[in-house]
Amino acid sequence: MATVLAFDVYGTLIDTHGVVAELEERLPADGPEGLAQEFSRRWRERQLEYSFRRGLMGAWVDFSECTRAALEFTDRALQTWLSETDKEHLMSLYARLPAFAEVKQALEQLREAGVTCVAFSNGGFAAVDGLLVQAGIRHYFHDIISVEEVKRFKPDPAVYALLRTRLEVASGDCWLISSNPFDVIGARHAGLHAVWVRRSLDAPFDPWGIEPDMTVANLVELAECLN
Amino acid sequence: MATVLAFDVYGTLIDTHGVVAELEERLPADGPEGLAQEFSRRWRERQLEYSFRRGLMGAWVDFSECTRAALEFTDRALQTWLSETDKEHLMSLYARLPAFAEVKQALEQLREAGVTCVAFSNGGFAAVDGLLVQAGIRHYFHDIISVEEVKRFKPDPAVYALLRTRLEVASGDCWLISSNPFDVIGARHAGLHAVWVRRSLDAPFDPWGIEPDMTVANLVELAECLN
């Protein structure tokens, strides 16, 4: 049975910090240097925290609600006082974030090598489908598997079990590809293989004693390793 | 049946940023301004994130392991290269963090008013007991209830159910007192009353549509509200 690569979406294929240019236009011009980067970073961190906490509470909502509440929180915490129009605009941008620069080339190489790729995301099916379409990479994916089918969030073991069920493969044949250490650790804990895409040298891997099977700097490096 | 106040410990009774002075001595002197505060803040945030993720993964460990791994992560992320001796020292400090300035007076007032107080923490029983003893406030608490009894972490509904079971009160008679919005939201979601101690004006409450029953600036204000 062929190996299947399950790609995380936000942060791995798609750049969640693709909102920085728009933030720079909309945040107060007299704010501290690097405010847009700081806003983007804290927005993303809080979005993930909200998904972890909602998962733990058994109070699942669509991921976009975590994104929206995290935007609101960050705006209040940084006292940037964005207008409702600006917030709606930023949310709509989240539906058309760009792919990382090397993604298309890597997916092309994997297709040529005959590797089956699926997208596997905390995002809802429609949101992920739309995101991949607008980034021009939807056709590289055999399927989209969204946590909304089980109403849990990564790194709950139930979502990795969903992935295995949907792919109907033994766990050894399915590899998670993610830039998010929490996702890599969650997958390894659930018995999957996992590759860490180390997109930033600033972010160390969590020292839990659970390591990725492989670490790559980007997806072209991954495709080349598999050839 | 009398009302019981269940106090969160870390951040509510005990100041988790009581390590800043020691950090200032041990971190590189040529680091950026405010590095010790930044280190303390990120250490605490990561400790909580680790507890949320471990709870979600069903991979509970004692809270001190989350604290230790978060210290290691923060040291690597900020590239502060603390020695193993320094890290051990910081961990031992975590066992004797100070209470916030007004805590003793507030607990005295509550005792005089005949209110029953318990400590209710993500920390292990022995760690919390030791922390309250060294802060000189252990004798104000009728009991210590630790999540280690159920091997989950706040805000998992199971830990609030444990609190109710241990107190043998209907949920309406038990109030959680916490400075941590995740704890207040978790308790409210599980059907308890909850007071938010807003120790910092910089940290807004999470905009989830789940509000505290009451907000106070500190515990003396709480004691006065109850009188």
Side-chain angles (χ1 to χ4, degrees), chain A residues 41-165:
Chain A
R41 188 183 63 73
R42 290 179 64 162
W43 182 9
R44 168 71 173 160
E45 281 180 6
R46 187 62 54 163
Q47 171 203 46
L48 291 175
E49 184 194 316
Y50 283 0
S51 67
F52 301 147
R53 285 165 49 190
R54 284 193 166 272
L56 189 52
M57 286 168 63
W60 186 88
V61 290
D62 187 85
F63 194 55
S64 64
E65 284 199 41
C66 297
T67 310
R68 185 65 179 80
L71 171 59
E72 188 63 43
F73 181 92
T74 306
D75 182 47
R76 292 183 198 176
L78 292 178
Q79 302 185 22
T80 42
W81 318 122
L82 289 166
S83 70
E84 286 308 310
T85 311
D86 283 345
K87 288 180 220 162
E88 287 316 310
H89 180 75
L90 288 165
M91 283 300 293
S92 74
L93 268 186
Y94 228 85
R96 40 196 171 90
L97 286 166
F100 286 101
E102 92 290 6
V103 166
K104 209 173 261 189
Q105 182 194 334
L107 291 171
E108 193 64 44
Q109 287 176 245
L110 290 167
R111 181 162 69 175
E112 283 165 15
V115 175
T116 300
C117 298
V118 300
F120 172 54
S121 180
N122 265 342
F125 181 87
V128 171
D129 188 59
L131 206 47
L132 299 179
V133 165
Q134 63 78 38
I137 56 174
R138 174 65 182 88
H139 58 291
Y140 292 110
F141 296 95
H142 177 71
D143 208 350
I144 293 170
I145 300 169
S146 161
V147 302
E148 76 178 325
E149 290 187 43
V150 286
K151 295 193 172 15
R152 311 282 186 101
F153 282 119
K154 300 176 182 182
D156 190 316
V159 307
Y160 303 100
L162 165 74
L163 178 64
R164 282 206 294 266
T165 305

Side-chain angles (χ1 to χ4, degrees), chain B residues 1 3 12-13 16 28 43 48 51 56 114 118 139 147 158 186 213 217 220:
Chain B
M1 186 176 288
T3 294
T12 301
L13 297 170
T16 57
W43 182 9
L48 291 175
S51 68
L56 188 54
V118 300
H139 58 291
V147 302
D213 293 285
V220 165

Side-chain angles (χ1 to χ4, degrees), chain B residues 105-115 140 227:
Chain B
Q105 181 194 335
L107 292 171
E108 193 65 44
Q109 286 176 248
L110 290 167
R111 181 162 68 174
E112 283 165 15
V115 175
Y140 293 109
N227 278 340

